[in-house]
Amino acid sequence: MMAGGSSAGDSAGDSAGEMTMTGEFGCYSSASDPTCDCEISEDECTEVMGTWTDQCACEDGEPGTDYMFNNRFGEGSSISYSGQTARHALISALKTYMGGLEQSVTSNGVFEEGALVNILNIFFDCTDDVCSGENVTVSGPVGLGQTTISDISSGKNLVGKIAGNDEVGQHKDWSVEFVGWGDEVYSPESLTRFWFTQVEQQAIAISNGEFDTDPSGMTITRPELSGTGLDYTQLTHKLLLGAIAFSQGADDYLDDTEEGKGLLSANDAVIEGKTYTALEHNWDEGFGYFGAARNYLDYTDDEIASKGGRDEYQGAHDRNGDGDIDLVSEFNWGHAVNAAKRDRGHSTDLTNEAYTAFLAGRRLIATADGALSDEQFAALQGYRNTAVLAWEKAIAATVIHYINDTMGDMDSSDEEYSFMTHAKHWGEMKGFALSFQFNPRSPVSAEAFARVHELFGIAPALRGDANFDDYRTGLLEARSILGAAYDFDDTDIETW
């Protein structure tokens, strides 16, 4: 199947790959189910009380499907979310660095306490923009238009946007209400920093010739992998995707609880010095955290997932033909990729559900004459609900996928079993599963969420553990809880 602000200054303006939308005028209906009609005339549009607008981007009688919108008050594009893309790149770069620590420690050693944590904090804190020169660690079918973090956007970090560090608008106090890592109280920030210290301690031990072992007695030489089966690279990466990207999208830019923020932002004039209204910008920033390329529907699910299809569409596509991949508009990041991975070969169409809702909501905002009417606002809330639910369902399906993988590891023969693979799958399962709490409209109740994490615990059950069989039974219960919460098809649940 085909794939389906906080502050106004968070994005400094998108890169040189930015393009304005093309296409012809169409008639945008202001009904409760807003649509673009590309087949009627301007006079007919007036008769039905529609809006004649180029934001429909009509081509061959059909509305455009690219996420491209012009400044309705002047020239240029009205889209800007380079700050969100920079954070995707920082999360990816941190993962890459942590995954390469074995070689780094073997080559250089780590002897002083705090040295490795300081390096990890280059990506997390980025104090004084120290991360700006760090290399982008993703790749595409052709060269990248941006090769360092500052090429995408400057002055960005991760810690400032992690759940709990926004001054207003969060639906919980994450310093005391964060759930999922045992009985000790953590915030998303403090848990991340705790994991950093665990990695450093193991790196110091390894550099001094002191090695942890896996249950079979094999020496562990990876600093980010513990003898209890914790893959800190996977745990950190998946927590940050949830506590930053998903949290910022669901509980900030697309929320509607704080006047002047999210969906309650102004839409009657551009922000001074910018080409977009505050509402346009907030919606775009939510879309930026989802991570889809602006021509997402041009890809197949295989192509988004880099699992087949056209060579020039493997995870990214040079849509404007300038010879480079623009990481803001032409690359698929994070959750947008996982949505396609779960759709492949299954009954879901999460890619299409999420993207078309984002597109429809943005078109509504762009065609509104200033502030939204009550009817328009209700429609926008509906698009938000659809987009965020599909986004969360992609995360939930991915958790189920890793539940299945973890059970497969537990069931494998001695010859087939890999401790590192087991730890990786468990870390992805656990890390992704921390995300649901960041959506104030999650279909997973607080009680169900707590039960899932009680069953997952804070480490996998390894061979020889007394709770091995009971733990596997608990994984089946957790899978059932999630399957029911999102009304997933039974066959999908069993085969993800």
Side-chain angles (χ1 to χ4, degrees), residues 7 57 90 92 128 168 194 216 237 249 257 264 316 343-344 361 366 372-373 387 404 409 451 470 474:
S7 72
L90 276 170
S92 180
D128 297 327
V168 295
F194 171 69
S216 70
H237 181 243
T257 59
L264 298 181
D343 283 347
R344 295 177 67 243
L372 273 59
S373 67
N404 292 339
D409 296 326
R451 178 57 178 164
D470 288 343

Side-chain angles (χ1 to χ4, degrees), residues 404-425:
N404 292 339
D405 277 355
T406 299
M407 291 192 299
D409 296 326
M410 297 175 76
D411 295 342
S412 63
S413 66
D414 290 342
E415 293 75 17
E416 297 171 329
Y417 180 74
S418 166
F419 171 72
M420 288 191 294
T421 302
H422 188 179
K424 175 184 181 294
H425 289 157

Side-chain angles (χ1 to χ4, degrees), residues 1-4 63-67 287 290 292-301 303-304 310 313 317 319 329 332 343 349-360 363:
M1 78 187 99
M2 296 301 288
T65 58
D66 287 355
Y67 195 92
F287 175 76
F290 175 61
R294 297 202 196 149
N295 62 331
Y296 196 54
L297 293 187
D298 289 349
Y299 297 75
T300 65
D301 292 325
E303 289 165 349
I304 296 171
R310 296 164 291 182
Y313 277 82
H317 175 62
R319 182 184 179 279
S329 62
N332 292 293
D343 283 347
D349 198 3
L350 303 173
T351 46
N352 187 68
E353 290 174 20
Y355 181 81
T356 55
F358 272 118
L359 181 66
R363 185 168 282 146

Side-chain angles (χ1 to χ4, degrees), residues 74-89:
E75 296 182 352
S77 170
S78 63
I79 300 175
S80 179
Y81 53 81
S82 58
Q84 285 60 46
T85 304
R87 292 188 185 92
H88 275 299

Side-chain angles (χ1 to χ4, degrees), residues 335-371:
H335 294 129
V337 176
N338 284 320
K341 288 181 177 180
R342 303 291 80 82
D343 283 347
R344 295 177 67 243
H346 292 87
S347 69
T348 55
D349 198 3
L350 303 173
T351 46
N352 187 68
E353 290 174 20
Y355 181 81
T356 55
F358 272 118
L359 181 66
R362 186 55 166 85
R363 185 168 282 146
L364 185 157
I365 296 168
T367 55
D369 185 15

Side-chain angles (χ1 to χ4, degrees), residues 427-441:
E428 298 201 68
M429 174 191 79
K430 177 69 175 184
F432 273 126
L434 293 168
S435 299
F436 312 134
Q437 62 191 308
F438 301 123
N439 180 11
R441 298 166 189 83

